[in-house]
């Protein structure tokens, strides 16, 4: 039985990862400070004998003996990561240093949950892993984007200098059950608004694009990445390459919820990327022909069902 540490394990993605790792027969230690995560996300795991929950902030050192570390701790929605930007960058950078130091000491393999935000507002489309990005270093999104970029730098320096066994995945917009209803990200916002027959808040023209990946496809990609040979470090894009405008997403959500909501247009937040779509050829090559399996409509139906119960409609 492998012992696996998941930082940020009580969050949206982390809770799905903990569940999958337990189902695969691992012992799972979930570490979280509950900034954006919640005990509710992992309530169903707490009674399992091979699951352990530890309240801890990864900006502080942490010692444990494990075989693998998945480093997910970091707020991910713009509202949450901009709430305390200094804390966000500390979480990414000091958290990476603490977890890499731990991995070095105990010789554990470590996977970093990086992000498509490292490409910023990309001038190359779709984004390939060898594109270095177009990121504003001093804007409101920088605490997250530059924090994650610096974390990638640390991962590769610990790998080169200390031979730490690293894996870096760049996650593109992911959605699914256990997204926080007030998390501010577009999928949860639109679904909650549609369920309440409130206006759907489109920022900017609504012609900007994103490519939405259902959480189960991401988890499969992350698990496969952790199992790759030590020659494979990444970074590897993990995302669904089917691109939608925000207006298309809003129309689909309205259709699937049978809502009476109308679209309302609002100012575009600063540095909001115009387009985003992963090139996943490298992922397919190194992750055993991994491809996303769940299309947007199927995934939205499951997410709508979850949020309907969560907000009690
Ligand atoms: P989330 O906010 O639901 O989860 C983040 C978790 O980290 C929460 O449980 C939170 O309480 C915890 N956390 C935050 N700061 C911490 C700290 N200092 N110490 C300990 N725990 C801390 O977000 P998510 O969508 O599940 O994202 C998980 C990871 O995946 C993040 O690293 C994020 O950057 C990355 N990611 C997510 C997406 C996406 O679309 N959801 C896209 C790209 C990358
Ligand atoms: N967005 C929107 N309405 C909302 C929330 C977000 O139009 O209520 C837009 C946002 O401006 C961005 C896209 O949806 O262009 C995706 O936003 P999200 O915060 O989900 O993710 P990110 O910008 O980090 O990719």
């Amino acid at each position: 039985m492998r012992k696996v540490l998941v930082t940020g394990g009580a969050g949206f993605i982390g809770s799905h990862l903990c569940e999958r790792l337990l189902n695969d027969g691992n012992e799972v230690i979930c570490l979280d400070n509950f900034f954006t995560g919640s005990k509710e996300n992992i309530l169903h795991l707490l009674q399992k004998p091979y699951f352990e929950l530890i309240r801890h902030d990864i900006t502080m050192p942490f010692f444990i003996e494990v075989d693998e570390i998945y480093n997910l701790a970091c707020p991910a929605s713009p509202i949450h990561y901009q709430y305390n930007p200094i804390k966000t960058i500390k979480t990414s950078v000091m958290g990476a240093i603490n977890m890499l130091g731990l991995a070095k000491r105990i010789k554990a393999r470590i996977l970093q949950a990086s992000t498509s935000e490292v490409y910023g507002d990309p001038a190359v489309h779709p984004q390939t892993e060898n594109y270095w990005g177009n990121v504003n270093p001093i804007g409101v999104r920088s605490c997250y984007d530059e924090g994650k970029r610096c974390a990638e730098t640390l991962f590769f320096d610990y790998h080169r200098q200390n031979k730490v066994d690293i894996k870096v995945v760049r996650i593109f917009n992911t959605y699914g059950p256990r997204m926080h209803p007030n998390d501010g990200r577009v999928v949860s916002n639109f679904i909650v608004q549609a369920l309440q027959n409130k206006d759907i808040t489109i920022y900017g023209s609504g012609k900007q694009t994103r490519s939405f990946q259902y959480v189960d496809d991401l988890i499969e990609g992350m698990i496969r990445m952790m199992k790759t040979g030590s020659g494979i470090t990444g970074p590897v894009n993990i995302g669904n390459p089917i691109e939608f405008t925000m207006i298309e997403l809003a129309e689909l959500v309205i259709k699937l919820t049978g809502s009476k909501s109308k679209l309302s247009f609002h100012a575009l937040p600063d540095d909001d990327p115009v387009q985003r779509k992963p090139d996943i050829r490298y992922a397919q090559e190194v992750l055993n022909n991994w491809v996303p399996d769940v299309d947007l409509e199927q995934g939205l139906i499951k997410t709508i069902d979850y949020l309907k119960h969560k907000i009690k409609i």
Side-chain angles (χ1 to χ4, degrees), residues 246-285:
M246 294 314 102
I247 290 184
E248 286 168 339
L249 175 69
E251 285 167 350
L252 186 54
V253 169
I254 289 173
K255 184 187 101 180
L256 294 175
T257 49
S259 173
K260 297 189 184 70
S261 294
K262 301 270 173 278
L263 307 190
S264 71
F265 290 82
H266 304 263
L268 188 68
D270 283 348
D271 295 334
D272 199 282
V274 174
Q275 52 183 2
R276 184 181 290 150
K277 166 182 160 133
D279 182 320
I280 58 165
R281 282 174 297 176
Y282 185 56
Q284 284 172 288
E285 185 189 321

Side-chain angles (χ1 to χ4, degrees), residues 108-297:
R109 177 170 279 196
I110 179 166
L111 180 145
Q112 167 69 353
S114 190
T115 167
S116 52
E117 292 283 331
V118 301
Y119 300 120
D121 188 6
V124 166
H125 194 73
Q127 292 80 55
T128 46
E129 289 85 351
N130 59 12
Y131 174 51
W132 290 352
N134 176 32
V135 178
N136 176 357
I138 58 168
V140 290
R141 293 175 85 101
S142 312
C143 59
Y144 183 73
D145 300 8
E146 295 290 17
K148 289 283 187 178
R149 285 169 67 94
C150 183
E152 284 200 9
T153 306
L154 284 161
F155 267 70
F156 280 86
D157 282 335
Y158 269 79
H159 175 66
R160 282 185 288 259
Q161 198 173 327
N162 298 123
K163 310 277 176 284
V164 174
D165 187 3
I166 63 156
K167 308 279 168 192
V168 176
V169 293
R170 291 182 177 156
I171 302 169
F172 283 64
N173 296 64
T174 302
Y175 69 98
R178 302 202 199 117
M179 287 190 94
H180 197 290
N182 301 324
D183 152 311
R185 279 181 275 193
V186 70
V187 173
S188 43
N189 268 12
F190 285 5
I191 293 176
V192 170
Q193 290 160 349
L195 287 171
Q196 297 173 333
N197 292 310
K198 291 186 176 158
D199 280 357
I200 305 281
T201 54
I202 306 273
Y203 301 161
S205 68
K207 291 188 180 138
Q208 70 272 35
T209 68
R210 295 291 187 274
S211 307
F212 298 103
Q213 159 174 251
Y214 189 66
V215 63
D216 289 358
D217 287 329
L218 166 65
I219 300 298
E220 180 62 33
M222 290 172 86
I223 298 271
R224 288 193 194 194
M225 183 64 179
M226 189 57 115
K227 288 186 180 149
T228 54
S230 50
I232 308 290
T233 56
V236 178
N237 289 339
I238 303 196
N240 189 320
I242 303 178
E243 201 179 355
F244 291 86
T245 66
M246 294 314 102
I247 290 184
E248 286 168 339
L249 175 69
E251 285 167 350
L252 186 54
V253 169
I254 289 173
K255 184 187 101 180
L256 294 175
T257 49
S259 173
K260 297 189 184 70
S261 294
K262 301 270 173 278
L263 307 190
S264 71
F265 290 82
H266 304 263
L268 188 68
D270 283 348
D271 295 334
D272 199 282
V274 174
Q275 52 183 2
R276 184 181 290 150
K277 166 182 160 133
D279 182 320
I280 58 165
R281 282 174 297 176
Y282 185 56
Q284 284 172 288
E285 185 189 321
V286 295
L287 304 181
N288 234 338
N289 290 321
W290 169 86
V291 272
D293 197 35
V294 182
D295 70 28
L296 186 59
E297 187 159 329

Side-chain angles (χ1 to χ4, degrees), residues 67-80:
D67 303 297
E68 293 173 352
I69 303 169
Y70 286 85
N71 187 36
L72 275 69
C74 185
S77 97
I79 291 182
H80 289 144

